[in-house]
Amino acid sequence: MSVFLLPSEPIESLDAYLATDVGGSGVRRAHELGPAETIDVVSRSGLRGRGGGGFPTGQKWAGVAAQSGARRYLVCNGAEGEPGTFKDRALLRANPYQLVEGMVIAAFAVGAAEAFICLKASFRREIDAVTRAVQEFQTAGICGDCKVTIVAGPDEYLFGEEKAMLEVIEGNEPLPRWLPPYLHGLFATAPQMGWQSHDVAAGSTNSGGGSNPTLVNNVETLSNIPHILVRGAEWFRSMGTADSPGTIVTTVVGDVVAPDVGEVEMGASLRAVIDAVGSGPVAGRSVKAVFSGVANAVVTARDLDVSVSYEGFEAIGSGMGSAGFIVYDDTTCMVDAAYRFSRFLSIESCGQCPPCKLGSSAITEHLERIETGVGNDGDLDAITGWLGHVTDGSRCFLAAEEQIVITSILRAFPEEFSEHIELGRCPRPRRLPIPKLIDLADGRAVYDDSIWRKQPDWTYAPIERADGDA
Ligand SMILES: Cc1cc2nc3c(=O)[nH]c(=O)nc-3n(C[C@H](O)[C@H](O)[C@H](O)COP(=O)(O)O)c2cc1C
Ligand code: SF4
């Protein structure tokens, strides 16, 4: 069996889930094994976090379990704000029960007494599905002592950043804090950032002192857990590659015939995934560039045979991210792509670290000048200068995303920048989408066009003043 996360028909009741080979058996198996052995199975499976970074899940769980602190929490990241990605919503629509069971197992393994599932408030359908699943689990007593709360968060891209997500759970804006969740968890009063000493293990309530180590995992990561507990680490390792075992739920959107979500074994070629999941480029067109979300270096036509795996993308100087592939065909202007990616990131930057907000905004302005035909070599120099500093003192990875994506486009397509400067216009004018997905079903993707009206302070311009509509 090489596809197990996305059932052919949605699972819509706890009874239907319990009737599957896995339903309910994962929690039972974890209780038979105990927390340490459960973590060991997850470690041996080689599962890596599907939220974008690919961090080994067992190692993360062991790290949280080993932290001192009386109170621990689990957070499931279902913000899914990465453009080009829809897989978490597809999973929640198809089977919210495997996620809830994965959360119950994770909470048991790391000793978390409370868990939170964070979704955007705009994900109504998925919130309804997961709310129903949690209620049915609670009524059936499968959650045990673990309290599970669903949090409806804002549409901001940063909501999905784990340190910002903890802020949202605590009722604040999605502004990333300094320390990672395993060091400074939910409702923590320590570690303090000042000079005062503190007792990290003192906390036993939400308001008391303590660092409250918190485990944050993506929807897809946790959805894998019951399957691994029931079928074993070796079964999981029998799929995919040695460094990237298992399957991956990919999204393929952009210039393809039928955008969609599909589960594939790790190690398939990107070209095959674009064909199998997105039905390939439209007739007469060829793939020019592929981006995995907005966080990784561009993949050019030359590298389309890269293996869809963490090590495969790393070997070509990119990253697999959350396997949300944005495909652009040969009608695409890469200067415009750079401008639109940079604009998205600069608008979503929160501004807590000035080089990130100022740098990404300046880069966006210079890219816009080149794209609209008024740019010169001075703009290119200014972009290069800012790219060297945009990450200075940054609290989160967004600034690095700007640096990585824009640098990669400049390196892969230098001739397009000089062409714009020489011609004084864009040779491939076309309204390029940044596919921030609202819906994806039946080969049809709905993009959130309001991003073009979003302003640097996160307010929205009235519709008639929308820029980016060129
Ligand atoms: C700007 C930004 C946005 C992110 N958005 C998401 C998101 O929408 N969903 C997600 O699971 N992880 C997102 N992440 C990654 C999370 O911070 C975190 O690494 C992830 O949830 C960990 O889960 P995993 O170990 O299961 O991959 C984002 C990171 C950054 C820097
Ligand atoms: S790096 Fe950018 S987005 Fe991240 S906290 Fe700093 S200013 Fe905000």
Side-chain angles (χ1 to χ4, degrees):
M1 179 198 299
S2 60
V3 169
F4 57 94
L5 289 173
L6 280 178
S8 48
E9 290 298 320
I11 295 180
E12 288 175 333
S13 72
L14 180 60
D15 285 345
Y17 178 60
L18 294 179
T20 66
D21 295 347
V22 166
S25 307
V27 179
R28 271 197 299 281
R29 184 75 189 124
H31 281 275
E32 283 162 20
L33 294 171
E37 183 61 19
T38 299
I39 294 177
D40 189 52
V41 172
V42 175
S43 297
R44 282 189 287 111
S45 75
L47 174 67
R48 296 171 67 167
R50 304 297 198 236
F55 192 82
T57 306
Q59 196 181 324
K60 193 186 249 190
W61 289 20
V64 170
Q67 287 290 318
S68 60
R71 204 170 172 85
R72 283 148 211 285
Y73 292 94
L74 166 68
V75 172
C76 169
N77 190 340
E80 193 154 65
E82 193 71 22
T85 308
F86 201 75
K87 49 106 180 174
D88 292 338
R89 279 166 284 179
L91 282 166
L92 289 167
R93 289 178 185 188
N95 184 359
Y97 298 94
Q98 62 191 358
L99 167 66
V100 180
E101 184 167 6
M103 289 184 68
V104 175
I105 295 168
F108 168 74
V110 302
E114 197 169 347
F116 295 85
I117 306 179
C118 298
L119 302 176
K120 294 207 162 95
S122 54
F123 296 177
R124 256 329 332 154
R125 190 170 154 188
E126 293 75 21
I127 289 179
D128 289 348
V130 85
T131 304
R132 192 187 63 229
V134 169
Q135 281 166 354
E136 286 178 78
F137 262 70
Q138 277 165 343
T139 308
I142 304 173
C143 292
D145 295 337
C146 182
K147 186 177 167 206
V148 183
T149 304
I150 293 155
V151 176
D155 263 330
E156 266 66 57
Y157 179 48
L158 277 175
F159 173 42
E161 199 281 338
E162 58 187 9
K163 301 189 287 334
M165 182 161 277
L166 301 199
E167 287 290 307
V168 171
I169 296 171
E170 293 180 14
N172 304 319
E173 294 290 311
L175 306 179
R177 35 169 88 153
W178 273 112
L179 297 173
Y182 68 92
L183 285 180
H184 186 172
L186 275 174
F187 313 111
T189 54
Q192 281 133 342
M193 300 303 291
W195 295 105
Q196 236 176 343
S197 65
H198 58 82
D199 175 4
V200 282
S204 61
T205 67
N206 281 356
S207 54
S211 60
N212 300 351
T214 299
L215 171 67
V216 182
N217 272 140
N218 168 260
V219 166
E220 184 182 348
T221 312
L222 291 165
S223 296
N224 271 286
I225 297 295
H227 300 272
I228 292 172
L229 263 287
V230 173
R231 300 194 172 109
E234 287 315 310
W235 164 79
F236 193 71
R237 280 201 171 275
S238 71
M239 296 170 289
T241 69
D243 289 336
S244 306
T247 64
I248 182 102
V249 183
T250 73
T251 314
V252 178
V253 292
D255 296 334
V256 289
V257 173
D260 207 348
V261 173
E263 184 179 1
V264 297
E265 250 192 83
M266 294 265 209
S269 82
L270 177 59
R271 190 190 303 277
V273 169
I274 291 170
D275 288 346
V277 178
S279 304
V282 291
R285 302 262 66 104
S286 61
V287 175
K288 178 172 184 177
V290 182
F291 292 86
S292 181
V294 297
N296 296 288
V298 62
V299 177
T300 60
R302 195 190 58 191
D303 286 326
L304 281 183
D305 290 314
V306 59
S307 119
V308 174
S309 61
Y310 298 102
E311 68 280 14
F313 272 71
E314 204 184 302
I316 59 161
S318 184
M320 187 176 67
S322 50
F325 298 123
I326 306 170
V327 178
Y328 290 117
D329 71 21
D330 51 345
T331 64
T332 302
C333 168
M334 294 312 295
V335 177
D336 195 27
Y339 158 63
R340 288 175 191 271
F341 276 73
S342 181
R343 183 185 184 281
F344 175 83
L345 290 168
S346 72
I347 296 288
E348 295 298 335
S349 164
C350 69
Q352 290 186 98
C353 324
C356 170
K357 191 74 173 177
L358 296 174
S360 59
S361 304
I363 292 167
T364 306
E365 279 168 29
H366 290 292
L367 286 169
E368 187 177 18
R369 280 174 49 79
I370 300 174
E371 168 59 15
T372 53
V374 295
N376 54 41
D377 288 340
D379 291 289
L380 274 181
D381 291 343
I383 292 168
T384 315
W386 269 115
L387 285 172
H389 293 289
V390 68
T391 56
D392 288 357
S394 56
R395 286 178 182 232
C396 87
F397 199 69
L398 186 144
E401 297 182 6
E402 170 82 6
Q403 188 180 55
I404 292 167
V405 173
I406 305 306
T407 304
S408 76
I409 300 174
L410 280 165
R411 282 203 188 129
F413 299 95
E415 70 290 350
E416 294 204 14
F417 290 83
S418 21
E419 201 181 1
H420 279 70
I421 292 171
E422 275 160 29
L423 288 175
R425 64 176 170 82
C426 174
R428 294 170 204 82
R430 172 192 161 197
R431 190 185 190 285
L432 214 57
I434 291 288
K436 183 161 178 263
L437 288 153
I438 292 180
D439 201 5
L440 179 58
D442 306 322
R444 212 175 72 85
V446 181
Y447 301 155
D448 181 2
D449 268 345
S450 73
I451 61 169
W452 302 117
R453 291 189 292 110
K454 196 168 178 180
Q455 305 180 113
D457 63 356
W458 292 359
T459 60
Y460 287 83
I463 286 170
E464 62 275 15
R465 277 180 44 217
D467 67 345
D469 275 346

